[in-house]
Amino acid sequence: ATGAALDLALALAVPCAVVPCCVYASEFPGRRLPSGAPVRSHEDLVAWLLAKDPRLREATLPFEGRNRVVYFRPDAPTDGQG
């Protein structure tokens, strides 16, 4: 659902943030990294999400555990400073 949520936000140009937690590699065998490798780990999942669009950004939230957020701000500068 995280990939679909980001896809919809990008298509509609609305802000969105997701905190991916579960990979579900066997349920989504078609997810591939730009290298062609399958998405198998949390690190892979975050990389796969970020590879969807260059406007997506990542931040680390101030708590333990799955604390990486992938977000989209349609009003952010396009020079990589968003």
Side-chain angles (χ1 to χ4, degrees):
T2 55
L6 287 174
D7 290 343
L8 183 60
L10 290 163
L12 298 177
V14 296
C16 179
V18 296
V19 179
C21 62
C22 303
V23 178
Y24 296 113
S26 61
E27 285 85 354
F28 298 99
R31 290 191 302 203
R32 301 282 172 180
L33 296 168
S35 67
V39 173
R40 296 277 181 221
S41 68
H42 182 257
E43 181 74 24
D44 290 346
L45 180 57
V46 172
W48 177 75
L49 291 169
L50 289 168
K52 287 180 161 289
D53 192 283
R55 297 171 295 168
L56 293 172
R57 300 288 179 256
E58 175 188 10
T60 302
L61 300 172
F63 56 81
E64 304 245 348
R66 302 283 194 223
N67 62 353
R68 294 170 70 185
V69 59
V70 176
Y71 64 95
F72 171 61
R73 288 182 41 208
D75 61 341
T78 56
D79 63 358
Q81 300 298 317

